[in-house]
mmCIF file of all heavy atoms in Angstrom:
data_model
loop_
_atom_site.group_PDB
_atom_site.id
_atom_site.type_symbol
_atom_site.label_atom_id
_atom_site.label_comp_id
_atom_site.label_asym_id
_atom_site.label_seq_id
_atom_site.Cartn_x
_atom_site.Cartn_y
_atom_site.Cartn_z
ATOM 1 N N VAL B 140 -22.451 11.933 7.290
ATOM 2 C CA VAL B 140 -23.640 11.748 6.427
ATOM 3 C C VAL B 140 -24.783 12.641 6.873
ATOM 4 O O VAL B 140 -25.470 13.277 6.043
ATOM 5 C CB VAL B 140 -24.122 10.258 6.487
ATOM 6 C CG1 VAL B 140 -25.456 10.084 5.776
ATOM 7 C CG2 VAL B 140 -23.049 9.399 5.831
ATOM 8 N N GLU B 141 -25.010 12.788 8.153
ATOM 9 C CA GLU B 141 -26.070 13.677 8.664
ATOM 10 C C GLU B 141 -25.862 15.122 8.315
ATOM 11 O O GLU B 141 -26.790 15.811 8.011
ATOM 12 C CB GLU B 141 -26.226 13.495 10.148
ATOM 13 C CG GLU B 141 -26.622 12.074 10.645
ATOM 14 C CD GLU B 141 -28.129 11.799 10.369
ATOM 15 O OE1 GLU B 141 -28.915 12.746 10.140
ATOM 16 O OE2 GLU B 141 -28.468 10.598 10.311
ATOM 17 N N THR B 142 -24.644 15.589 8.523
ATOM 18 C CA THR B 142 -24.355 17.047 8.430
ATOM 19 C C THR B 142 -23.841 17.521 7.076
ATOM 20 O O THR B 142 -23.900 18.699 6.799
ATOM 21 C CB THR B 142 -23.314 17.403 9.491
ATOM 22 O OG1 THR B 142 -22.020 16.799 9.142
ATOM 23 C CG2 THR B 142 -23.692 17.059 10.883
ATOM 24 N N GLY B 143 -23.333 16.549 6.273
ATOM 25 C CA GLY B 143 -22.786 16.991 4.966
ATOM 26 C C GLY B 143 -21.390 17.596 5.128
ATOM 27 O O GLY B 143 -20.859 18.164 4.136
ATOM 28 N N GLU B 144 -20.785 17.554 6.289
ATOM 29 C CA GLU B 144 -19.442 18.010 6.501
ATOM 30 C C GLU B 144 -18.636 16.893 7.175
ATOM 31 O O GLU B 144 -19.181 16.103 7.913
ATOM 32 C CB GLU B 144 -19.459 19.300 7.387
ATOM 33 C CG GLU B 144 -20.163 20.456 6.681
ATOM 34 C CD GLU B 144 -20.199 21.714 7.489
ATOM 35 O OE1 GLU B 144 -20.137 21.662 8.720
ATOM 36 O OE2 GLU B 144 -20.304 22.762 6.847
ATOM 37 N N ALA B 145 -17.319 16.905 6.891
ATOM 38 C CA ALA B 145 -16.516 15.814 7.281
ATOM 39 C C ALA B 145 -16.127 15.787 8.760
ATOM 40 O O ALA B 145 -15.650 16.784 9.314
ATOM 41 C CB ALA B 145 -15.199 15.791 6.480
ATOM 42 N N TRP B 146 -16.446 14.675 9.430
ATOM 43 C CA TRP B 146 -16.090 14.356 10.809
ATOM 44 C C TRP B 146 -15.085 13.217 10.761
ATOM 45 O O TRP B 146 -15.256 12.245 9.914
ATOM 46 C CB TRP B 146 -17.252 14.003 11.639
ATOM 47 C CG TRP B 146 -18.137 15.114 12.037
ATOM 48 C CD1 TRP B 146 -18.982 15.780 11.236
ATOM 49 C CD2 TRP B 146 -18.244 15.761 13.333
ATOM 50 N NE1 TRP B 146 -19.664 16.756 11.918
ATOM 51 C CE2 TRP B 146 -19.242 16.761 13.180
ATOM 52 C CE3 TRP B 146 -17.650 15.570 14.538
ATOM 53 C CZ2 TRP B 146 -19.584 17.589 14.248
ATOM 54 C CZ3 TRP B 146 -18.050 16.331 15.606
ATOM 55 C CH2 TRP B 146 -18.975 17.358 15.478
ATOM 56 N N PHE B 147 -14.086 13.191 11.630
ATOM 57 C CA PHE B 147 -13.156 12.060 11.706
ATOM 58 C C PHE B 147 -12.985 11.632 13.143
ATOM 59 O O PHE B 147 -13.547 12.224 14.088
ATOM 60 C CB PHE B 147 -11.791 12.498 11.098
ATOM 61 C CG PHE B 147 -11.858 12.902 9.695
ATOM 62 C CD1 PHE B 147 -11.690 14.249 9.291
ATOM 63 C CD2 PHE B 147 -12.095 11.963 8.666
ATOM 64 C CE1 PHE B 147 -11.802 14.609 7.977
ATOM 65 C CE2 PHE B 147 -12.136 12.379 7.365
ATOM 66 C CZ PHE B 147 -12.024 13.699 6.992
ATOM 67 N N TYR B 148 -12.165 10.581 13.293
ATOM 68 C CA TYR B 148 -11.769 10.154 14.632
ATOM 69 C C TYR B 148 -10.258 10.306 14.732
ATOM 70 O O TYR B 148 -9.491 9.780 13.917
ATOM 71 C CB TYR B 148 -12.193 8.685 14.896
ATOM 72 C CG TYR B 148 -11.861 8.275 16.313
ATOM 73 C CD1 TYR B 148 -12.690 8.562 17.359
ATOM 74 C CD2 TYR B 148 -10.659 7.632 16.588
ATOM 75 C CE1 TYR B 148 -12.345 8.171 18.662
ATOM 76 C CE2 TYR B 148 -10.293 7.289 17.927
ATOM 77 C CZ TYR B 148 -11.160 7.551 18.937
ATOM 78 O OH TYR B 148 -10.850 7.198 20.224
ATOM 79 N N SER B 149 -9.811 11.068 15.742
ATOM 80 C CA SER B 149 -8.393 11.327 15.898
ATOM 81 C C SER B 149 -7.791 10.180 16.696
ATOM 82 O O SER B 149 -8.162 9.967 17.881
ATOM 83 C CB SER B 149 -8.114 12.639 16.546
ATOM 84 O OG SER B 149 -6.739 12.714 16.969
ATOM 85 N N ARG B 150 -6.872 9.406 16.126
ATOM 86 C CA ARG B 150 -6.210 8.327 16.866
ATOM 87 C C ARG B 150 -5.301 8.872 17.920
ATOM 88 O O ARG B 150 -5.154 8.312 18.992
ATOM 89 C CB ARG B 150 -5.441 7.427 15.878
ATOM 90 C CG ARG B 150 -6.353 6.707 14.884
ATOM 91 C CD ARG B 150 -5.583 5.833 13.915
ATOM 92 N NE ARG B 150 -4.672 6.682 13.063
ATOM 93 C CZ ARG B 150 -3.894 6.253 12.168
ATOM 94 N NH1 ARG B 150 -3.751 4.951 11.982
ATOM 95 N NH2 ARG B 150 -3.109 7.086 11.482
ATOM 96 N N SER B 151 -4.603 9.976 17.654
ATOM 97 C CA SER B 151 -3.690 10.515 18.661
ATOM 98 C C SER B 151 -4.453 11.146 19.842
ATOM 99 O O SER B 151 -4.064 10.974 21.018
ATOM 100 C CB SER B 151 -2.762 11.562 18.040
ATOM 101 O OG SER B 151 -3.511 12.554 17.395
#
Side-chain angles (χ1 to χ4, degrees):
Chain B
V140 169
E141 295 288 339
T142 65
E144 296 182 334
W146 286 73
F147 299 108
Y148 182 84
S149 168
R150 294 177 299 176
S151 54

